[in-house]
Amino acid sequence: KMNWDLIIMSIMYILAGGMHFVRPKMYVKIIPKFLPKRRTLNLLAGAIEILAGVGLLFSETRFYSAILIIVMLIAFFLVHFNMLRGEEYSLGVPKWALILRIPLQFGLIWWAYVYIR
């Protein structure tokens, strides 16, 4: 059964993933410098987000897409904490918004978890 929240989640990840290709420099800037091949990692992350978003729309792949989203969101904590290191990494986003994004990330993980139960 297709729920509106599932469609919204799918669109959200497809659009977010697409932004990795539209604005790659912005994303590469927030990837921690100790990670290798940050441009490649950015494009890979975008492709995974798009793939997972599309996969949510099909009952046969929904479970795997939700797991992929959870793993991706856990990995993205690294980027979120890196952005808290200072203005060089924050893209001008206020610190309060960066801090608020951390509990939001847990909410997104829970939202994806709903589809693997």
Side-chain angles (χ1 to χ4, degrees):
K1 181 182 177 190
M2 187 69 66
N3 299 326
W4 281 107
D5 66 316
L6 188 60
I7 294 168
I8 291 168
M9 186 192 309
S10 173
I11 291 169
M12 183 179 77
Y13 285 108
I14 292 168
L15 292 176
M19 289 305 294
H20 286 260
F21 296 90
V22 173
R23 305 272 317 266
K25 288 180 183 177
M26 178 182 76
Y27 286 92
V28 170
K29 185 176 180 181
I30 63 175
I31 296 173
K33 288 185 169 59
F34 66 83
L35 291 174
K37 302 187 183 222
R38 294 182 304 146
R39 290 190 317 197
T40 303
L41 286 175
N42 168 60
L43 297 176
L44 182 62
I48 289 170
E49 280 189 273
I50 293 167
L51 180 68
V54 171
L56 289 171
L57 297 173
F58 303 95
S59 59
E60 299 84 7
T61 55
R62 189 169 299 138
F63 173 84
Y64 302 105
S65 290
I67 289 175
L68 189 58
I69 287 169
I70 291 168
V71 170
M72 177 185 65
L73 289 171
I74 290 169
F76 286 176
F77 274 118
L78 188 60
V79 171
H80 297 318
F81 285 115
N82 187 57
M83 290 180 76
L84 285 167
R85 293 179 51 214
E87 283 195 34
E88 178 185 351
Y89 307 100
S90 70
L91 299 177
V93 177
K95 193 165 193 161
W96 66 265
L98 295 172
I99 291 170
L100 187 63
R101 193 165 68 170
I102 293 168
L104 174 64
Q105 193 85 351
F106 284 106
L108 292 172
I109 290 169
W110 173 83
W111 190 11
Y113 176 73
V114 166
Y115 292 101
I116 64 171
R117 291 188 289 145

PDB file of all heavy atoms in Angstrom, residues 2 7 10-12 20 25 36 38 70 83 85 97 104 117:
ATOM      1  N   MET A   2       0.536   2.214  -0.821  1.00  0.00           N
ATOM      2  CA  MET A   2       1.314   3.441  -0.942  1.00  0.00           C
ATOM      3  C   MET A   2       0.673   4.531  -0.075  1.00  0.00           C
ATOM      4  O   MET A   2      -0.476   4.897  -0.278  1.00  0.00           O
ATOM      5  CB  MET A   2       1.357   3.885  -2.404  1.00  0.00           C
ATOM      6  CG  MET A   2       2.271   5.035  -2.675  1.00  0.00           C
ATOM      7  SD  MET A   2       4.015   4.685  -2.500  1.00  0.00           S
ATOM      8  CE  MET A   2       4.256   3.532  -3.830  1.00  0.00           C
ATOM      9  N   ILE A   7       5.394   8.586  -0.212  1.00  0.00           N
ATOM     10  CA  ILE A   7       5.631   9.364  -1.429  1.00  0.00           C
ATOM     11  C   ILE A   7       6.453  10.611  -1.100  1.00  0.00           C
ATOM     12  O   ILE A   7       7.403  10.953  -1.813  1.00  0.00           O
ATOM     13  CB  ILE A   7       4.301   9.726  -2.116  1.00  0.00           C
ATOM     14  CG1 ILE A   7       3.626   8.450  -2.634  1.00  0.00           C
ATOM     15  CG2 ILE A   7       4.521  10.722  -3.254  1.00  0.00           C
ATOM     16  CD1 ILE A   7       2.190   8.631  -3.066  1.00  0.00           C
ATOM     17  N   SER A  10      10.004   9.569  -0.435  1.00  0.00           N
ATOM     18  CA  SER A  10      10.646   9.233  -1.694  1.00  0.00           C
ATOM     19  C   SER A  10      11.075  10.491  -2.444  1.00  0.00           C
ATOM     20  O   SER A  10      12.231  10.612  -2.876  1.00  0.00           O
ATOM     21  CB  SER A  10       9.696   8.404  -2.564  1.00  0.00           C
ATOM     22  OG  SER A  10      10.236   8.211  -3.838  1.00  0.00           O
ATOM     23  N   ILE A  11      10.172  11.430  -2.589  1.00  0.00           N
ATOM     24  CA  ILE A  11      10.475  12.685  -3.284  1.00  0.00           C
ATOM     25  C   ILE A  11      11.607  13.431  -2.577  1.00  0.00           C
ATOM     26  O   ILE A  11      12.512  13.969  -3.222  1.00  0.00           O
ATOM     27  CB  ILE A  11       9.207  13.558  -3.399  1.00  0.00           C
ATOM     28  CG1 ILE A  11       8.210  12.907  -4.359  1.00  0.00           C
ATOM     29  CG2 ILE A  11       9.554  14.979  -3.840  1.00  0.00           C
ATOM     30  CD1 ILE A  11       6.829  13.532  -4.346  1.00  0.00           C
ATOM     31  N   MET A  12      11.567  13.438  -1.253  1.00  0.00           N
ATOM     32  CA  MET A  12      12.579  14.135  -0.476  1.00  0.00           C
ATOM     33  C   MET A  12      13.979  13.582  -0.776  1.00  0.00           C
ATOM     34  O   MET A  12      14.918  14.350  -1.017  1.00  0.00           O
ATOM     35  CB  MET A  12      12.257  13.981   1.018  1.00  0.00           C
ATOM     36  CG  MET A  12      13.185  14.699   1.944  1.00  0.00           C
ATOM     37  SD  MET A  12      12.688  14.471   3.670  1.00  0.00           S
ATOM     38  CE  MET A  12      13.277  12.813   3.967  1.00  0.00           C
ATOM     39  N   HIS A  20      23.100  16.764  -5.047  1.00  0.00           N
ATOM     40  CA  HIS A  20      24.518  16.404  -5.026  1.00  0.00           C
ATOM     41  C   HIS A  20      25.146  16.586  -6.405  1.00  0.00           C
ATOM     42  O   HIS A  20      26.350  16.818  -6.524  1.00  0.00           O
ATOM     43  CB  HIS A  20      24.705  14.951  -4.577  1.00  0.00           C
ATOM     44  CG  HIS A  20      24.496  14.754  -3.113  1.00  0.00           C
ATOM     45  ND1 HIS A  20      25.542  14.653  -2.229  1.00  0.00           N
ATOM     46  CD2 HIS A  20      23.366  14.637  -2.373  1.00  0.00           C
ATOM     47  CE1 HIS A  20      25.061  14.480  -1.004  1.00  0.00           C
ATOM     48  NE2 HIS A  20      23.736  14.471  -1.078  1.00  0.00           N
ATOM     49  N   LYS A  25      29.905  21.279  -5.452  1.00  0.00           N
ATOM     50  CA  LYS A  25      30.938  21.977  -4.670  1.00  0.00           C
ATOM     51  C   LYS A  25      30.473  22.218  -3.241  1.00  0.00           C
ATOM     52  O   LYS A  25      31.256  22.130  -2.298  1.00  0.00           O
ATOM     53  CB  LYS A  25      31.325  23.293  -5.340  1.00  0.00           C
ATOM     54  CG  LYS A  25      32.128  23.097  -6.602  1.00  0.00           C
ATOM     55  CD  LYS A  25      32.499  24.426  -7.224  1.00  0.00           C
ATOM     56  CE  LYS A  25      33.253  24.176  -8.528  1.00  0.00           C
ATOM     57  NZ  LYS A  25      33.581  25.433  -9.197  1.00  0.00           N
ATOM     58  N   PRO A  36      38.841  10.155   1.718  1.00  0.00           N
ATOM     59  CA  PRO A  36      39.438  10.220   0.377  1.00  0.00           C
ATOM     60  C   PRO A  36      38.384  10.469  -0.700  1.00  0.00           C
ATOM     61  O   PRO A  36      37.207  10.165  -0.518  1.00  0.00           O
ATOM     62  CB  PRO A  36      40.062   8.830   0.208  1.00  0.00           C
ATOM     63  CG  PRO A  36      39.190   7.944   1.048  1.00  0.00           C
ATOM     64  CD  PRO A  36      38.762   8.800   2.222  1.00  0.00           C
ATOM     65  N   ARG A  38      36.637  12.964  -2.067  1.00  0.00           N
ATOM     66  CA  ARG A  38      35.402  13.594  -1.603  1.00  0.00           C
ATOM     67  C   ARG A  38      34.429  13.896  -2.740  1.00  0.00           C
ATOM     68  O   ARG A  38      33.217  13.777  -2.565  1.00  0.00           O
ATOM     69  CB  ARG A  38      35.714  14.865  -0.810  1.00  0.00           C
ATOM     70  CG  ARG A  38      36.440  14.530   0.494  1.00  0.00           C
ATOM     71  CD  ARG A  38      36.744  15.732   1.354  1.00  0.00           C
ATOM     72  NE  ARG A  38      37.518  16.709   0.619  1.00  0.00           N
ATOM     73  CZ  ARG A  38      37.399  18.030   0.783  1.00  0.00           C
ATOM     74  NH1 ARG A  38      36.558  18.516   1.650  1.00  0.00           N
ATOM     75  NH2 ARG A  38      38.139  18.854   0.079  1.00  0.00           N
ATOM     76  N   ILE A  70      18.672   4.299   6.224  1.00  0.00           N
ATOM     77  CA  ILE A  70      19.124   4.327   7.625  1.00  0.00           C
ATOM     78  C   ILE A  70      20.648   4.321   7.691  1.00  0.00           C
ATOM     79  O   ILE A  70      21.252   5.120   8.423  1.00  0.00           O
ATOM     80  CB  ILE A  70      18.516   3.155   8.417  1.00  0.00           C
ATOM     81  CG1 ILE A  70      17.009   3.385   8.588  1.00  0.00           C
ATOM     82  CG2 ILE A  70      19.207   2.993   9.774  1.00  0.00           C
ATOM     83  CD1 ILE A  70      16.249   2.179   9.104  1.00  0.00           C
ATOM     84  N   MET A  83      30.285  19.840  10.191  1.00  0.00           N
ATOM     85  CA  MET A  83      29.790  21.198   9.954  1.00  0.00           C
ATOM     86  C   MET A  83      29.782  22.033  11.229  1.00  0.00           C
ATOM     87  O   MET A  83      29.824  23.262  11.168  1.00  0.00           O
ATOM     88  CB  MET A  83      28.390  21.153   9.336  1.00  0.00           C
ATOM     89  CG  MET A  83      28.405  20.647   7.905  1.00  0.00           C
ATOM     90  SD  MET A  83      26.756  20.593   7.184  1.00  0.00           S
ATOM     91  CE  MET A  83      26.499  22.345   6.842  1.00  0.00           C
ATOM     92  N   ARG A  85      32.170  22.226  13.255  1.00  0.00           N
ATOM     93  CA  ARG A  85      33.550  22.583  13.577  1.00  0.00           C
ATOM     94  C   ARG A  85      33.880  24.043  13.343  1.00  0.00           C
ATOM     95  O   ARG A  85      34.882  24.537  13.833  1.00  0.00           O
ATOM     96  CB  ARG A  85      34.511  21.703  12.783  1.00  0.00           C
ATOM     97  CG  ARG A  85      34.444  20.258  13.222  1.00  0.00           C
ATOM     98  CD  ARG A  85      35.353  19.347  12.457  1.00  0.00           C
ATOM     99  NE  ARG A  85      36.710  19.867  12.416  1.00  0.00           N
ATOM    100  CZ  ARG A  85      37.513  19.704  11.375  1.00  0.00           C
ATOM    101  NH1 ARG A  85      37.105  19.077  10.301  1.00  0.00           N
ATOM    102  NH2 ARG A  85      38.740  20.177  11.399  1.00  0.00           N
ATOM    103  N   ALA A  97      20.869  25.865  14.050  1.00  0.00           N
ATOM    104  CA  ALA A  97      20.213  25.028  13.041  1.00  0.00           C
ATOM    105  C   ALA A  97      20.982  23.726  12.830  1.00  0.00           C
ATOM    106  O   ALA A  97      20.384  22.665  12.638  1.00  0.00           O
ATOM    107  CB  ALA A  97      20.076  25.784  11.727  1.00  0.00           C
ATOM    108  N   LEU A 104      16.763  15.899  14.398  1.00  0.00           N
ATOM    109  CA  LEU A 104      15.965  15.696  13.186  1.00  0.00           C
ATOM    110  C   LEU A 104      16.457  14.451  12.442  1.00  0.00           C
ATOM    111  O   LEU A 104      15.661  13.678  11.918  1.00  0.00           O
ATOM    112  CB  LEU A 104      16.051  16.934  12.284  1.00  0.00           C
ATOM    113  CG  LEU A 104      15.389  16.810  10.917  1.00  0.00           C
ATOM    114  CD1 LEU A 104      13.888  16.617  11.059  1.00  0.00           C
ATOM    115  CD2 LEU A 104      15.690  18.031  10.069  1.00  0.00           C
ATOM    116  N   ARG A 117       9.852  -2.613   9.426  1.00  0.00           N
ATOM    117  CA  ARG A 117       9.214  -3.447  10.456  1.00  0.00           C
ATOM    118  C   ARG A 117       8.235  -4.401   9.822  1.00  0.00           C
ATOM    119  O   ARG A 117       7.707  -4.247   8.796  1.00  0.00           O
ATOM    120  CB  ARG A 117       8.491  -2.588  11.479  1.00  0.00           C
ATOM    121  CG  ARG A 117       9.444  -1.812  12.319  1.00  0.00           C
ATOM    122  CD  ARG A 117       8.797  -1.112  13.455  1.00  0.00           C
ATOM    123  NE  ARG A 117       7.981   0.005  12.943  1.00  0.00           N
ATOM    124  CZ  ARG A 117       6.834   0.388  13.502  1.00  0.00           C
ATOM    125  NH1 ARG A 117       6.395  -0.210  14.553  1.00  0.00           N
ATOM    126  NH2 ARG A 117       6.176   1.393  13.004  1.00  0.00           N
TER     127      ARG A 117
END
